[in-house]
Amino acid sequence: MNSVRFELLGFPVTIQPAFFGLLAIYLLFSLQARQPVYALVSFCCVVFVSILVHELGHALMARQYQLRVDGIWLHGMGGHVRHGVGSTGQALAISLAGPFAGLALGGIVWAVAPYLPPGPVMATVVGDLLWVNIGWSIFNLLPMMPLDGGNALRSALALRWPRVTATRWAASVGMLLGAGLAVLGLQYDMIFVLFIGGLSAYQNYQVLQQLPSR
């Protein structure tokens, strides 16, 4: 399968095959659970729109600072924006812009939900939009790299200390928090939390290993 490419608000967007693979895995589990077709379609569409809004938040903030934006990519781990390097304060704002865009979309959906027509389909769409945009945005603000919260913590610390020191502290926090989430996920049989926590702990450990010795 080839990547899908289009342009949105002046940004080139690339949807890689792995992103469709991620949706396909969800569809298989949902079919096994015998969820209604409209629930499958709703979740896949909401995930696509929500990730795109999240990445647009990053891209628009980078453009606001007149940084080069090479494009938006959606892939198996979500998405990312490739842009030019700005100041530490700009990096902090760009990191936070993605989750805040998701929270803003979730807030709009929550505000208009009482005025939407009732029914199971609309309730499913609204529930998916609230969960993905508010729930995931809050989770994404946790101080664990490569989540936006971890990148924001590193940038915030770098406002006061050298970047290497800031990275060391941010990665240490991310490694400990990720390990804690992995233990929590294992204890309560939450596979997603176990996976994200373990992956983040490992990735932050790798960041620490790549830093120069003191």
Side-chain angles (χ1 to χ4, degrees), residues 62 66-70 82-85:
Q66 299 183 344
L67 299 177
R68 185 192 75 254
V69 178
D70 296 327
R82 191 178 301 161
H83 57 78
V85 178

Side-chain angles (χ1 to χ4, degrees), residues 83-207:
H83 57 78
V85 178
S87 67
T88 301
Q90 290 172 346
L92 175 60
I94 292 171
S95 294
L96 294 175
F100 285 174
L103 290 172
L105 177 57
I108 292 171
V109 172
W110 178 81
V112 303
Y115 307 100
L116 297 175
V121 176
M122 184 61 67
T124 298
V125 174
V126 169
D128 288 341
L129 283 167
L130 292 175
W131 164 245
V132 173
N133 287 282
I134 296 180
W136 174 248
S137 293
I138 293 174
F139 186 86
N140 198 26
L141 286 170
L142 291 177
M144 305 186 302
M145 293 185 289
L147 299 182
D148 290 321
N151 294 327
L153 175 62
R154 176 172 58 182
S155 296
L157 293 174
L159 291 172
R160 180 167 183 178
W161 291 297
R163 185 168 180 81
V164 172
T165 303
T167 302
R168 180 174 288 111
W169 276 103
S172 298
V173 171
M175 183 177 66
L176 292 174
L177 182 56
L181 285 177
V183 171
L184 184 67
L186 183 63
Q187 182 176 358
Y188 292 97
D189 197 26
M190 297 183 292
I191 303 300
F192 177 76
V193 175
L194 171 62
F195 172 75
I196 294 296
L199 178 62
S200 182
Y202 175 70
Q203 289 179 322
N204 282 271
Y205 172 76
Q206 284 189 315
V207 171

Side-chain angles (χ1 to χ4, degrees), residues 29-53:
F29 279 110
S30 298
L31 289 172
Q32 187 178 22
R34 298 183 178 181
Q35 292 186 6
V37 174
Y38 68 80
L40 308 183
V41 174
S42 168
F43 191 78
C44 289
C45 291
V46 166
V47 167
F48 169 71
V49 171
S50 300
I51 293 178
L52 195 54
V53 167

Side-chain angles (χ1 to χ4, degrees), residues 15-23 25 51 73-79 195:
I15 307 177
Q16 297 178 339
F19 181 78
F20 296 107
L22 180 67
L23 296 182
I25 292 173
I51 293 178
W73 282 263
L74 305 187
H75 46 69
M77 296 300 294
F195 172 75

